[in-house]
Amino acid sequence: MLTFEEKLSIIESFPELERKDVSLGRVNFHYTNSSYDQKNVVYHLHPNGNGFVYAGKMTGYQTNDKGMVNIRDFTEKALRSTIRKSILSLTPKETEAENEPEEEVWINDNTVTLTLLKEEDMWNVYADDILDGTFTTYKEATHYLDEEGFSRI
């Protein structure tokens, strides 16, 4: 089993992760460029060697209800691999962004139309000239419109 210091050294070798010290000597590592609400890649790395890595968007891992896999008995190779996969699972996919339109019109059963418009790094939903909602991703915006009973024209 790797020691706390060995695990810390491995985790700190990933420059895209940002260290956050938490209570009881535990350490979290955030991936601030995550395209999801999930930012924790390493969660509660404890001085006793216990800790978790986010694997909620990956297959082949037994995770808890928060999508975390316990790394207590991981080898160096397993830890590096799991962290790399976790970061990749949270990284925006270029193909998703390439397929996103700049503007769409959505309609509901009552023939009410809304316009989904990409403005800078945000997605805005308009009812005529009135802003109805702002979202950080295209996926979030389309999910909202679907839930509200709208479909693409």
Side-chain angles (χ1 to χ4, degrees):
M1 181 173 88
L2 297 170
T3 67
F4 172 75
E5 290 77 19
E6 291 168 329
K7 287 178 182 173
L8 202 54
S9 176
I10 292 166
I11 298 163
E12 287 176 336
S13 72
F14 290 89
E16 55 268 70
L17 297 180
E18 183 179 318
R19 180 181 174 148
K20 301 280 185 182
D21 293 334
V22 292
S23 63
L24 304 173
R26 296 174 298 184
V27 182
N28 290 346
F29 284 86
H30 294 186
Y31 178 48
T32 57
N33 292 330
S34 175
S35 60
Y36 302 93
D37 289 339
Q38 176 64 32
K39 303 281 187 222
N40 274 334
V41 170
V42 178
Y43 180 71
H44 284 180
L45 179 64
H46 193 276
N48 70 9
N50 201 18
F52 301 88
V53 170
Y54 181 71
K57 298 195 176 298
M58 302 166 8
T59 58
Y61 292 91
Q62 186 174 354
T63 62
N64 64 18
D65 60 341
K66 293 181 181 178
M68 299 287 183
V69 62
N70 192 300
I71 60 169
R72 181 178 192 81
D73 298 322
F74 273 33
T75 64
E76 177 180 354
K77 183 177 179 181
L79 182 58
R80 284 187 188 282
S81 173
T82 305
I83 291 171
R84 174 59 51 215
K85 289 177 188 174
S86 180
I87 292 169
L88 289 174
S89 77
L90 297 171
T91 300
K93 309 291 185 265
E94 290 300 321
T95 55
E96 289 176 9
E98 290 171 5
N99 293 330
E100 294 172 351
E102 295 291 315
E103 182 176 346
E104 289 182 340
V105 177
W106 290 63
I107 191 167
N108 69 7
D109 291 338
N110 297 326
T111 67
V112 173
T113 60
L114 297 177
T115 303
L116 175 59
L117 185 62
K118 184 173 186 181
E119 297 179 310
E120 299 189 21
D121 291 336
M122 303 299 280
W123 289 92
N124 293 319
V125 175
Y126 290 95
D128 295 320
D129 293 334
I130 300 168
L131 181 64
D132 184 62
T134 299
F135 304 89
T136 56
T137 66
Y138 175 77
K139 186 176 180 177
E140 289 174 353
T142 57
H143 179 75
Y144 164 77
L145 289 165
D146 284 333
E147 294 235 327
E148 294 296 317
F150 286 83
S151 56
R152 287 182 201 94
I153 293 181

